[in-house]
C-alpha cells in the first residue's frame, strides 16, 4: 500500500483536510483531484491504480465537502482556490496536474486563471458550462420537497437533473450507478449537517466558467450524454480556450467516473503523461483533438444528448 499523508488545515475560519498518496516512482508532478460538490478526499480511490504508477495523488475535503466546514455567505470561489493554495504550500509543492470534475472543474478553472504557474496540465471534466433554467426549476421543485420533510422525494427529482433519462441513450452500468447516486445523494441530504446548503449554493450561485485561460495546457472531457451541460456545450467551451483538447467518452453521462471509471481514469492519465489520445476505443468518433466548434458539423456522429 502507498504511503499516505493526511492533515487538517485552517484558513479564514474554515477547517479542511487533504490526503496525499505517495507513488513509489513518480515521473510527473503530483495529480490533484477535486470532484463533485460533496465528494471528499476519500472519493478518488477509483483512480489510484492509474495515477500511482506515475505520480503522487492528492485529494481533499474542500470547504463544504467531507468533514470540512462549509463556506459562509461572504466566502466565494476565491476562498476555495485559496484553500487549494494553502494545501499545496503545506506540502511544499510548486506545480500539480490538476483534475477537476463537475463542481470541481469550476474550482480548478478558477484556480488556473488565478495561479497558472502552479498548474502543469489541467483536465476539466463534466464542466457545468451553464446551469440551465430547466435544471434550476428541477432544483427548486426538489428543495420544496426537502423543506416539506421529504428528502426521498427530493432525491427522486434530483435524479432527473443528474442522470440521462432511461430510453434516451445507451449508458454503461446505468442501473447500478443510478442506485449508487441515489444512495449517496440521500445520505448527503440526511446525514450531513450542511449537505443541503452546500448543494443549493452549487446550483443557484453562478459557477459558469467565464474569462479566458492562457499558459495552461487543458483537456476538457465529458460523457457523451452529460445531462448537466451537453457534449456540444462543453465542446464549445473547450473551443474558446487557448491550448485545449476535447474528448467525449461513449456510453456515459455526467457520472462518467462511475459508469466508465477505468476509461475516464486512463484518458486523464494519458493526457497528464503526454501519451497519445487518438484511436482510443472508448472515445466518441474523432474526439481528443483540438475542438473547432460546438455545432452539428463538429460532432463526428449523431448522438442523443441527455
Amino acid at each position: 500500500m502507498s504511503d499516505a499523508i493526511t492533515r487538517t488545515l485552517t484558513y479564514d475560519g474554515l477547517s479542511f483536510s487533504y490526503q496525499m498518496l505517495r507513488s513509489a516512482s513518480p515521473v510527473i508532478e503530483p495529480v490533484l483531484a477535486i470532484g463533485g460538490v460533496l465528494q471528499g478526499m476519500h472519493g478518488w480511490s477509483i483512480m489510484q491504480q492509474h495515477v500511482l504508477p506515475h505520480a503522487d495523488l492528492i485529494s481533499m475535503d474542500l470547504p463544504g465537502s467531507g468533514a470540512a466546514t462549509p463556506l459562509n455567505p461572504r466566502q466565494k470561489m476565491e476562498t476555495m482556490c485559496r484553500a487549494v493554495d494553502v494545501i499545496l504550500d503545506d506540502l511544499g509543492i510548486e506545480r500539480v496536474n490538476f483534475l477537476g470534475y463537475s463542481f470541481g472543474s469550476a474550482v480548478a478553472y478558477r484556480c488556473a486563471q488565478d495561479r497558472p504557474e502552479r498548474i502543469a496540465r489541467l483536465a476539466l471534466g463534466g464542466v457545468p458550462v451553464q446551469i440551465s433554467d430547466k435544471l434550476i426549476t428541477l432544483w427548486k421543485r426538489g428543495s420544496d420537497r426537502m423543506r416539506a420533510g421529504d428528502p426521498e422525494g427530493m432525491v427522486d427529482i434530483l435524479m432527473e437533473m443528474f442522470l440521462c433519462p432511461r430510453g434516451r441513450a445507451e449508458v454503461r452500468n446505468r442501473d447500478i450507478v443510478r442506485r449508487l447516486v441515489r444512495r449517496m445523494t440521500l445520505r448527503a441530504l440526511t446525514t450531513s449537517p450542511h449537505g443541503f446548503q452546500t448543494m443549493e449554493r452549487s446550483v443557484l450561485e453562478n459557477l459558469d466558467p467565464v474569462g479566458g485561460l492562457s499558459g495552461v495546457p487543458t483537456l476538457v472531457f465529458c460523457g457523451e450524454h452529460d445531462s448537466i451541460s451537453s457534449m456540444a456545450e462543453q465542446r464549445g467551451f473547450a473551443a474558446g480556450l487557448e491550448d485545449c483538447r476535447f474528448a467525449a467518452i461513449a456510453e456515459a453521462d455526467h457520472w462518467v467516473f462511475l459508469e466508465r471509471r477505468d476509461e475516464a481514469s486512463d484518458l486523464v492519465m494519458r493526457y497528464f503523461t503526454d501519451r497519445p489520445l487518438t484511436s482510443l476505443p472508448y472515445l466518441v468518433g474523432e474526439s481528443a483533438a483540438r475542438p473547432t466548434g460546438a455545432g452539428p458539423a463538429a460532432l463526428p456522429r449523431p448522438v442523443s444528448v441527455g
Side-chain angles (χ1 to χ4, degrees), residues 35-49:
V37 63
L38 297 176
Q39 183 177 358
M41 64 183 180
H42 300 297
W44 287 102
S45 59
I46 56 177
M47 284 198 70
Q48 290 180 28
Q49 64 177 319

Side-chain angles (χ1 to χ4, degrees), residues 189-203:
L189 290 172
T190 56
T191 64
S192 170
H194 50 261
F196 175 78
Q197 169 197 347
T198 300
M199 290 180 68
E200 185 160 68
R201 286 191 69 168
S202 73
V203 175

Side-chain angles (χ1 to χ4, degrees), residues 117-140:
E117 72 279 4
R118 299 206 81 158
I119 300 177
R121 286 180 180 250
L122 180 65
L124 304 174
V127 180
V129 176
Q130 183 177 19
I131 302 299
S132 68
D133 291 342
K134 176 184 175 182
L135 295 183
I136 291 173
T137 298
L138 284 171
W139 172 265
K140 290 180 177 178

Side-chain angles (χ1 to χ4, degrees), residues 6-239:
T6 303
R7 283 174 55 83
T8 298
L9 306 174
T10 58
Y11 169 72
D12 197 19
L14 300 170
S15 173
F16 49 93
S17 305
Y18 72 83
Q19 172 182 271
M20 184 170 79
L21 300 178
R22 290 192 178 278
S23 168
S25 53
V27 293
I28 61 170
E29 295 90 344
V31 171
L32 170 63
I34 300 178
V37 63
L38 297 176
Q39 183 177 358
M41 64 183 180
H42 300 297
W44 287 102
S45 59
I46 56 177
M47 284 198 70
Q48 290 180 28
Q49 64 177 319
H50 295 272
V51 175
L52 294 180
H54 308 282
D56 298 334
L57 175 61
I58 305 166
S59 54
M60 59 193 68
D61 285 351
L62 277 180
S65 67
T69 51
L71 298 175
N72 64 45
R74 69 172 176 81
Q75 293 169 323
K76 306 294 183 182
M77 187 67 74
E78 289 73 17
T79 303
M80 302 284 271
C81 291
R82 182 56 187 142
V84 171
D85 273 338
V86 169
I87 289 170
L88 296 185
D89 290 344
D90 188 67
L91 285 165
I93 293 174
E94 291 295 324
R95 295 209 311 168
V96 293
N97 293 290
F98 203 157
L99 165 63
Y101 198 83
S102 190
F103 173 79
S105 72
V107 178
Y109 188 68
R110 183 69 60 84
C111 292
Q113 289 177 311
D114 292 346
R115 297 292 301 275
E117 72 279 4
R118 299 206 81 158
I119 300 177
R121 286 180 180 250
L122 180 65
L124 304 174
V127 180
V129 176
Q130 183 177 19
I131 302 299
S132 68
D133 291 342
K134 176 184 175 182
L135 295 183
I136 291 173
T137 298
L138 284 171
W139 172 265
K140 290 180 177 178
R141 280 176 48 205
S143 64
D144 287 344
R145 300 307 310 151
M146 185 70 181
R147 293 185 173 96
D150 181 15
E152 293 208 15
M154 180 177 187
V155 173
D156 288 340
I157 293 171
L158 292 185
M159 292 301 97
E160 298 181 47
M161 289 180 60
F162 291 161
L163 295 151
C164 182
R166 282 190 178 90
R168 181 75 63 84
E170 182 68 25
V171 174
R172 296 279 183 97
N173 302 308
R174 179 196 298 274
D175 291 338
I176 294 172
V177 170
R178 180 173 289 272
R179 289 195 295 270
L180 180 59
V181 171
R182 180 182 176 82
R183 184 166 63 247
M184 291 190 305
T185 306
L186 185 61
R187 183 171 62 243
L189 290 172
T190 56
T191 64
S192 170
H194 50 261
F196 175 78
Q197 169 197 347
T198 300
M199 290 180 68
E200 185 160 68
R201 286 191 69 168
S202 73
V203 175
L204 299 183
E205 291 190 4
N206 182 16
L207 294 180
D208 299 356
V210 297
L213 179 64
S214 62
V216 181
T218 302
L219 169 71
V220 173
F221 68 100
C222 64
E224 65 170 330
H225 306 298
D226 198 317
S227 57
I228 301 298
S229 288
S230 70
M231 179 172 70
E233 288 173 320
Q234 294 186 62
R235 187 184 186 110
F237 165 71

Side-chain angles (χ1 to χ4, degrees), residues 263-275:
E263 293 88 348
S265 300
D266 177 68
L267 174 68
V268 170
M269 289 311 298
R270 280 178 174 274
Y271 180 68
F272 285 160
T273 55
D274 200 28
R275 286 177 285 161

